[in-house]
Amino acid sequence: MKLLLIRHPKPVIAPGICYGAMDLEADAEDLQRVVDTLRGRAVPAFTASSTLRRASDLAHAMTAHAWPTPRLHDGLQEMNFGRWEGLAWDSIGEAAVKAWADNMLDHQPPEGESVRMLGERAVRAVRELIPLAQAQQASGQEVTFAIFAHAGVLHTVPPLLRGEPLKLGLNPRLDYGAVIELDL
């Protein structure tokens, strides 16, 4: 089985804002750019998406190009930054951001979740969805399963699916519309 992890298009929000799990729509121009890029790929047998609009709008837009209707799953949402969401990173405070950056894996923003919590939630969702994707497999053919999600999901799911530990820091940067391919 091949798994495609696809990052959503650029969201409609001012630069420098912590948006995490906020439900933002995708920028229309960037949405079209990502759709045009994905149209050149083979059509997957199964798709799933975060319930957040910036990801699900892309997943639904791909149905016009013969991609399957996505199965929506809350577990594929971006990290919840709690009380930081909607605030400018500059207004959160240097000390608070540094404390998070110094221990990103386990530090939780107020009323939010840590990167480790995000990863555990997201990989649990992917593991729940894999049997549904496998059910689409025709005899002797490899199934491609596409997930429309967020940078945090794209950073944490691959190592966790491989049984590897998460590492501090989430590099390299993933552009909007980035695709990560995994063989499961």
Side-chain angles (χ1 to χ4, degrees), residues 96-179:
V97 173
K98 183 178 181 338
W100 174 68
D102 287 348
N103 185 16
M104 201 178 283
L105 289 180
D106 295 306
H107 184 85
Q108 293 176 245
E111 298 175 27
E113 65 185 338
S114 68
V115 170
R116 188 179 312 279
M117 292 165 72
L118 155 69
E120 289 169 356
R121 166 177 52 80
V123 81
R124 195 168 42 249
V126 172
R127 287 184 176 135
E128 287 173 17
L129 292 163
I130 286 173
L132 299 176
Q134 288 172 324
Q136 304 304 312
Q137 184 172 358
S139 178
Q141 293 184 344
E142 181 179 63
V143 169
T144 299
F145 170 20
I147 292 178
F148 298 88
H150 309 272
V153 173
L154 272 69
H155 279 295
T156 58
V157 165
L160 291 174
L161 282 177
R162 291 189 296 259
E164 299 169 0
L166 292 176
K167 295 178 183 165
L168 187 60
L170 298 178
N171 290 321
R173 178 168 154 53
L174 292 168
D175 292 330
Y176 296 113
V179 178

Side-chain angles (χ1 to χ4, degrees), residues 7-11 13 19 30 33-34 173-178:
R7 187 176 184 205
H8 62 80
K10 179 181 176 184
I13 192 165
Y19 59 87
D30 202 44
R33 175 192 65 82
V34 178
R173 178 168 154 53
L174 292 168
D175 292 330
Y176 296 113

